Amino acid sequence: MIPRAEDISQDSKDKKDENDLIYEYENIKQITWYDQLLLNRPLKVVLIVLLVTIAAPLLIYQFWFFPSVDAPPADGYSTGSCLLQREIRLACGIGTMNELNCHPQCCYDVRNRFCFHRLPSRFSYILDREWSENVTLQPRISTTPYSLQNSIPNLRISVDEITPTHLTLNLYNPQLTTYSGSRIENKDYNYSISSPELNIVVNSLQGNIFNTLRGPMIASRNIWEIAFKITNESMYGLGEIPLKAGTVKVIYNHDQGISSIPLIFAKINESYHGLLLDSSTPTEVSILAENQIVVRGITSFGLRFHLFTGPKPEHVMRDVMNYIGTFNNFDYWMFGPHICSVYPGPIDNAFTQFNTFMNSVSRQRLPFESTCGPIPIVFKSDHCDNSENDIINRGLRLIRRFNKRFVPHLSPYIRHEVNTTIDEEEIDNSTRSCGSTISRYERYLLRDSNNLDPYIGTIGNDSVVYPDYGTITEELIKDLWIYNTDVDGIILENNWPLDESKKLHNETYLYLPYYNKNFENALNRTPQWNTSLPNDGGIYLFKHNIYGNNFINATHSIFDKTLPKWSSSQWMNGETVINRQNVDTSWTSLHRELIAMALGGISGHWYWSSPVCGDSEDFDIENHSLLCVKWYMAGTFFPILTIHSKSTPRDPIQFVGTYRTYINNALNHRLNLLSYFYTTLQEGPLLRPMFYQYPEVSELKGVNSQFNVGENLLIIPNLQPSQTHVHVWMPPGTWYEMYSGLRLNATIGDAVTMTTTDSDFLTLIRGGSIVPLQKDVKATAELTRLESSFAFTIALECTIESENTNCKASGHLFMAQNMTIEFKADAENLYITAIGDDYDIFCNTTVAIWANRIQEINIYGLDDEFNNYDNHRRILSSINLCELKDVHEIYYKYT
């Protein structure tokens, strides 16, 4: 206590001896110990620090979080901590809930009403011995955070060493399935599975590429969950560049789902590796802070992951393609634009509108390759009504008259009248019955889970049923196809399959232990999840993702297996062309489709189509014209160019004035570049993200607003309305504007601002490359290839060596398996050689498919004194490639 002075009178003061007013040393010694503590400033600082560092966390632990168990666990394993940063907490169960619903082995955040896992998690599996393929793991906690379901009592882990750079992890329920992993001697990875507490770690030459970090491993009926990390740096995939915290994707084929395989590229220590989530059941993938990945699957069987060690993105892509297969049946005509419109109104008017369209595009000399005809093809149970067949046949004759190709759209469901029936005895197997033949397919149809009748879905105003194409016979598949028409290709659409009937999700939340809005959105336009399979009575949900593959395989009974096929749904199938559907018409969608296409290409799906201007019904040509112009310009560089619509057509003849001119120019530019595209796709994907093309350049790793087109071209699209400038993030090397030769002067990673207009689409060409073009565009891709002479663009890469400037460029043109033309150039000369001996494809007038003359050369990178245009030199020439039959090399001097 601090001493206080007493209140005394003046007389008393006068009598007080002066010496009594002196603060005496002896009195100071009488101050108590606690006064000394309170008056000691350094000591107070120390006390405050101790309170903050020790007492405060204890108080927070006690009053902020409510861990379930205060004493060490009886099993002797790790207790786990609840003191985790909010950003890295993993939801225990559904996460947000009342405290009473939080599992006793979880932690609970009172303020945010959030139930989360300890670290290490108590929900894991344990081993009683060192891991091997046959060792069975037991759950540490007998119940799960999901409705307190029982954990699966036995779990096994199988590791399959497929190649030196490809490893597969299988976590599975041994009572339902089994795996046996193989072993190889030399590999670029090693792995450890710790005991007794489970932790899985995979390392490669570049570092740690997979680590469960002792997080949750939950296995129960209809819910499996695992958390892990694959890098501390950046990730790309699942339609995102880069893949950021907060991203949630559902792996379940649906109308706006992931079209390509669920592959994630991860960067670590200047190298890249890949993770492929191979789960054919509905699976939610969540990206959390610090690159934590949480995978939750609605399954009772297990989870599977593929790891690819890289070390470059290209190596990951090649390994993936070896696993999923590749598409090898590409014909040159498939590069040409494909136009398909669904005409509104009565079916009788469809042919009239289609006839008007075909005549209009012919008069306007619109270059395109194929069309789907007047109406899409839908299987019917009623074979008596031939009106649709008549319209399709009339449309086919019209298509052939205009020398175009017929590529119809085909859906997997069967349209039928619910009340029509026919007895099996009435069916004449030798002739097609007139009436409903639904009974012939009944035992192959998906079943309603309530009454086991055929499941009936809705498409527009039609009722439909769904064959199980994994079990249906070849005879019945052929019987479904009632058309006697030849097709040049087939687009399999709506084959998730589509079902627009209203779904009630209340009961689903009760039946499935983990179900949320993400799954609800994915399952809204597909058959009811608990629909039964026709043969074994299993639940449709677990076979949904492979429905598209089964439909693709079933069409082999109708069409030749080599017939080009587009598909809107596939699973781990690289042998089909991706056909995107239900794309909104917006600037955001344009950007999203470019990213998805680029990622799809480097994930193994090189052949990819996305509808120009989108294909949604919400389309207004007056308000969307400028967007469509830019979309057509971007579509110039799509691997496959499709122009599809459901109600309002958006093909070029729907536009007027300068907009139509810009769109026609874009289609012409595409045909100009097809020979370069064709060559590029023999070796790699066409559209490529920056991190893939330049993995060594850290400044470009997160750029998603520009894309390489093969090795030699770079596009910078307009991604905003009324955009007047674009920013180029400079890649390595020298770059020129594609059609002017203007050189961009900047260093790697710099942002260069370039002006753009409605008629422009900024395209750059790499120094050191030669790109062949065919400028005289014809009516189709194949006619252009044969009849249009070549114009070479030579972009020189110049270096100074011993005070001399050395300029070089090279390129090649793939014509056939046994013929490739190679080009080399310097500042003065062009050299042309042939690899192969199939000269007939460009020299034999009877069987030739390629042009054989070079009539124009444009050279970029020369000194100004040698240019005859502002930024380049143009030379009109006549070089006959057929001379290569007699000479080893054609030598051409510019002057």
Side-chain angles (χ1 to χ4, degrees):
M1 173 181 286
I2 301 176
R4 296 193 180 189
E6 296 181 6
D7 187 13
I8 57 177
S9 63
Q10 185 65 37
D11 292 340
S12 298
K13 291 180 182 179
D14 293 338
K15 295 178 182 179
K16 184 123 178 115
D17 187 66
E18 183 176 357
N19 291 332
D20 292 338
L21 301 177
I22 301 174
Y23 204 91
E24 297 179 326
Y25 177 74
E26 291 298 325
N27 292 334
I28 295 175
K29 291 194 297 181
Q30 301 303 316
I31 297 176
T32 60
W33 64 271
Y34 49 82
D35 286 330
Q36 290 182 345
L37 290 176
L38 292 173
L39 294 172
N40 189 316
R41 180 174 295 176
L43 192 56
K44 285 195 290 185
V45 173
V46 172
L47 286 172
I48 292 172
V49 170
L50 290 174
L51 285 171
V52 170
T53 57
I54 298 176
L58 292 175
L59 291 172
I60 292 173
Y61 187 86
Q62 180 66 30
F63 296 107
W64 203 265
F65 308 110
F66 285 79
S68 59
V69 180
D70 295 327
D75 57 19
Y77 298 118
S78 59
T79 304
S81 172
C82 292
L83 294 177
L84 304 174
Q85 297 178 21
R86 185 168 286 112
E87 300 81 36
I88 64 172
R89 297 174 190 166
L90 302 180
C92 193
I94 62 174
T96 303
M97 63 180 70
N98 295 324
E99 182 182 351
L100 293 176
N101 296 327
C102 185
H103 194 287
Q105 300 295 336
C106 302
C107 305
Y108 191 76
D109 183 337
V110 177
R111 170 172 290 184
N112 295 285
R113 300 177 61 248
F114 188 69
C115 184
F116 61 97
H117 284 282
R118 294 167 177 263
L119 187 64
S121 175
R122 301 294 295 277
F123 297 92
S124 187
Y125 277 72
I126 54 178
L127 301 79
D128 59 0
R129 70 196 76 173
E130 185 177 346
W131 172 83
S132 68
E133 290 274 339
N134 297 320
V135 168
T136 300
L137 290 74
Q138 290 79 38
R140 182 177 173 184
I141 305 297
S142 61
T143 58
T144 73
Y146 298 101
S147 304
L148 294 179
Q149 281 195 165
N150 291 330
S151 300
I152 290 176
N154 298 306
L155 180 148
R156 284 188 180 178
I157 300 174
S158 175
V159 181
D160 196 4
E161 301 171 4
I162 297 178
T163 72
T165 56
H166 178 187
L167 172 74
T168 299
L169 297 173
N170 290 294
L171 299 93
Y172 66 97
N173 182 350
Q175 294 181 339
L176 300 178
T177 186
T178 184
Y179 294 98
S180 179
S182 59
R183 298 291 178 266
I184 59 177
E185 185 173 349
N186 298 315
K187 46 188 177 287
D188 294 343
Y189 48 80
N190 61 75
Y191 51 89
S192 63
I193 300 177
S194 63
S195 62
E197 294 185 73
L198 174 66
N199 194 55
I200 306 173
V201 177
V202 181
N203 293 298
S204 69
L205 300 177
Q206 59 262 44
N208 185 230
I209 63 172
F210 185 91
N211 194 333
T212 58
L213 297 171
R214 300 180 71 186
M217 176 65 235
I218 297 172
S220 184
R221 183 174 177 269
N222 288 334
I223 175 64
W224 281 56
E225 175 183 325
I226 188 173
F228 54 87
K229 290 179 69 172
I230 58 175
T231 182
N232 287 322
E233 299 183 43
S234 51
M235 298 187 294
Y236 318 85
L238 305 182
E240 305 291 335
I241 301 176
L243 192 53
K244 297 179 180 179
T247 301
V248 179
K249 302 288 183 176
V250 173
I251 302 172
Y252 192 79
N253 291 337
H254 59 287
D255 56 358
Q256 292 188 336
I258 300 170
S259 294
S260 187
I261 61 172
L263 174 67
I264 298 175
F265 291 85
K267 179 179 181 295
I268 182 172
N269 297 330
E270 305 306 320
S271 297
Y272 289 80
H273 59 280
L275 171 79
L276 176 59
L277 297 99
D278 191 351
S279 177
S280 61
T281 58
T283 304
E284 180 189 72
V285 184
S286 302
I287 310 299
L288 304 183
E290 297 190 7
N291 286 350
Q292 295 181 101
I293 301 176
V294 179
V295 176
R296 297 184 181 95
I298 300 179
T299 179
S300 300
F301 292 83
L303 300 170
R304 178 189 297 179
F305 305 96
H306 300 270
L307 288 165
F308 308 96
T309 62
K312 292 184 178 181
E314 179 184 1
H315 300 142
V316 173
M317 178 191 69
R318 298 290 177 181
D319 274 344
V320 171
M321 294 177 73
N322 287 336
Y323 177 68
I324 68 172
T326 57
F327 179 73
N328 297 316
N329 302 322
F330 197 91
D331 294 321
Y332 198 83
W333 66 265
M334 293 172 66
F335 280 121
H338 174 83
I339 300 177
C340 181
S341 296
V342 176
Y343 301 103
I347 189 174
D348 296 338
N349 295 332
F351 178 79
T352 301
Q353 296 180 72
F354 181 66
N355 183 52
T356 301
F357 165 77
M358 292 297 292
N359 282 279
S360 296
V361 295
S362 177
R363 287 194 303 269
Q364 297 177 29
R365 302 177 62 83
L366 178 71
F368 79 103
E369 203 74 24
S370 58
T371 179
C372 64
I375 58 174
I377 293 177
V378 178
F379 293 136
K380 296 190 301 180
S381 61
D382 181 4
H383 290 160
C384 297
D385 182 5
N386 293 320
S387 58
E388 291 187 10
N389 194 17
D390 292 339
I391 291 175
I392 289 172
N393 285 325
R394 291 169 62 196
L396 175 60
R397 290 192 293 270
L398 185 64
I399 293 169
R400 299 304 187 206
R401 181 159 64 87
F402 285 100
N403 296 316
K404 302 299 181 181
R405 295 182 184 267
F406 181 42
V407 182
H409 289 208
L410 178 66
S411 296
Y413 38 77
I414 303 175
R415 185 172 59 227
H416 80 297
E417 296 294 333
V418 177
N419 295 325
T420 58
T421 58
I422 187 170
D423 293 333
E424 201 63 48
E425 298 177 357
E426 298 179 21
I427 299 173
D428 181 357
N429 291 327
S430 62
T431 60
R432 205 178 284 277
S433 298
C434 182
S436 175
T437 59
I438 197 65
S439 59
R440 299 188 65 187
Y441 314 109
E442 187 163 343
R443 65 192 181 101
Y444 300 104
L445 299 177
L446 299 184
R447 324 297 297 184
D448 190 295
S449 60
N450 295 320
N451 52 30
L452 296 183
D453 289 337
Y455 175 81
I456 298 176
T458 302
I459 309 293
N461 297 321
D462 295 323
S463 296
V464 298
V465 291
Y466 303 87
D468 178 7
Y469 287 102
T471 59
I472 195 169
T473 66
E474 180 175 335
E475 177 187 2
L476 291 179
I477 289 291
K478 291 180 178 179
D479 189 64
L480 283 172
W481 183 259
I482 63 174
Y483 306 97
N484 297 317
T485 57
D486 295 327
V487 301
D488 301 293
I490 194 79
I491 293 181
L492 308 176
E493 63 176 3
N494 302 327
N495 60 329
W496 309 290
L498 175 65
D499 175 19
E500 297 177 336
S501 61
K502 186 176 181 180
K503 306 297 186 304
L504 300 177
H505 295 275
N506 293 340
E507 291 185 357
T508 309
Y509 280 95
L510 296 176
Y511 282 110
L512 295 177
Y514 183 70
Y515 191 73
N516 55 21
K517 287 292 183 182
N518 299 321
F519 283 120
E520 184 177 315
N521 292 335
L523 274 62
N524 257 339
R525 289 163 59 85
T526 61
Q528 185 70 26
W529 72 273
N530 59 352
T531 296
S532 298
L533 297 173
N535 283 355
D536 57 11
I539 297 178
Y540 164 79
L541 181 79
F542 302 117
K543 299 291 185 179
H544 168 83
N545 275 352
I546 63 173
Y547 192 95
N549 283 3
N550 290 337
F551 184 43
I552 294 169
N553 294 333
T555 61
H556 297 160
S557 302
I558 308 172
F559 313 107
D560 189 282
K561 189 175 182 179
T562 62
L563 185 78
K565 297 180 184 69
W566 286 253
S567 177
S568 300
S569 175
Q570 52 76 39
W571 179 252
M572 298 296 166
N573 184 355
E575 298 180 356
T576 184
V577 177
I578 297 295
N579 175 57
R580 290 277 291 160
Q581 281 187 247
N582 298 331
V583 176
D584 295 330
T585 305
S586 68
W587 291 94
T588 300
S589 289
L590 170 58
H591 192 191
R592 185 171 58 241
E593 290 302 302
L594 285 166
I595 292 174
M597 190 177 300
L599 286 172
I602 67 170
S603 298
H605 288 118
W606 292 359
Y607 303 100
W608 183 290
S609 69
S610 176
V612 172
C613 298
D615 62 345
S616 62
E617 297 182 7
D618 183 19
F619 176 77
D620 182 354
I621 197 166
E622 182 176 345
N623 295 324
H624 290 139
S625 289
L626 181 57
L627 168 60
C628 279
V629 166
K630 291 301 180 182
W631 210 317
Y632 268 95
M633 291 178 179
T636 297
F637 305 94
F638 290 0
I640 308 294
L641 182 62
T642 55
I643 306 163
H644 295 171
S645 59
K646 297 176 182 176
S647 56
T648 306
R650 56 213 71 182
D651 54 77
I653 66 170
Q654 308 302 322
F655 299 85
V656 296
T658 55
Y659 291 136
R660 181 186 291 180
T661 301
Y662 296 155
I663 288 174
N664 287 344
N665 288 342
L667 295 179
N668 288 337
H669 287 324
R670 178 175 181 82
L671 292 184
N672 294 160
L673 288 163
L674 284 194
S675 59
Y676 171 72
F677 295 169
Y678 187 65
T679 299
T680 297
L681 284 165
Q682 306 303 318
E683 304 160 356
L686 189 63
L687 209 63
R688 309 175 182 185
M690 293 292 97
F691 80 86
Y692 173 90
Q693 192 64 28
Y694 311 102
E696 72 285 354
V697 182
S698 59
E699 294 88 344
L700 300 177
K701 65 181 182 180
V703 174
N704 63 12
S705 57
Q706 62 190 47
F707 305 89
N708 255 73
V709 181
E711 297 279 347
N712 301 326
L713 298 182
L714 180 72
I715 60 170
I716 305 87
N718 299 65
L719 299 172
Q720 299 291 333
S722 303
Q723 186 173 347
T724 59
H725 296 80
V726 292
H727 302 292
V728 184
W729 298 92
M730 290 301 296
T734 302
W735 292 87
Y736 304 89
E737 202 281 321
M738 176 67 180
Y739 296 107
S740 72
L742 174 68
R743 177 174 175 172
L744 278 66
N745 295 310
T747 58
I748 298 175
D750 284 353
V752 178
T753 301
M754 301 287 288
T755 302
T756 183
T757 67
D758 291 349
S759 62
D760 293 334
F761 192 87
L762 185 60
T763 307
L764 306 180
I765 183 171
R766 181 182 62 85
S769 64
I770 301 176
V771 174
L773 296 90
Q774 292 182 283
K775 291 186 175 181
D776 185 15
V777 170
K778 307 300 180 183
T780 66
E782 290 183 324
L783 282 175
T784 301
R785 174 175 63 168
L786 176 62
E787 299 178 4
S788 177
S789 58
F790 291 103
F792 279 12
T793 298
I794 300 174
L796 296 171
E797 177 71 32
C798 298
T799 58
I800 299 177
E801 300 176 2
S802 302
E803 299 183 355
N804 294 321
T805 301
N806 184 22
C807 297
K808 294 181 179 179
S810 63
H812 62 284
L813 171 62
F814 176 88
M815 291 183 168
Q817 290 298 326
N818 198 26
M819 178 52 67
T820 297
I821 307 296
E822 288 199 340
F823 323 107
K824 293 182 179 179
D826 54 33
E828 298 178 348
N829 308 295
L830 172 65
Y831 307 90
I832 306 172
T833 57
I835 300 176
D837 56 9
D838 190 4
Y839 295 100
D840 286 348
I841 61 173
F842 59 89
C843 293
N844 188 321
T845 56
T846 303
V847 298
I849 58 174
W850 284 94
N852 56 27
R853 286 195 175 273
I854 303 171
Q855 293 190 324
E856 182 181 333
I857 300 173
N858 293 283
I859 310 168
Y860 301 162
L862 296 173
D863 291 337
D864 288 343
E865 59 186 292
F866 298 109
N867 290 336
N868 52 11
Y869 282 77
D870 288 346
N871 298 294
H872 71 282
R873 181 175 183 177
R874 181 179 183 229
I875 300 172
L876 298 178
S877 61
S878 182
I879 303 174
N880 188 351
L881 295 178
C882 292
E883 294 178 15
L884 291 171
K885 295 174 63 176
D886 303 316
V887 299
H888 171 68
E889 179 182 76
I890 295 175
Y891 163 73
Y892 179 82
K893 191 172 182 63
Y894 304 147
T895 56

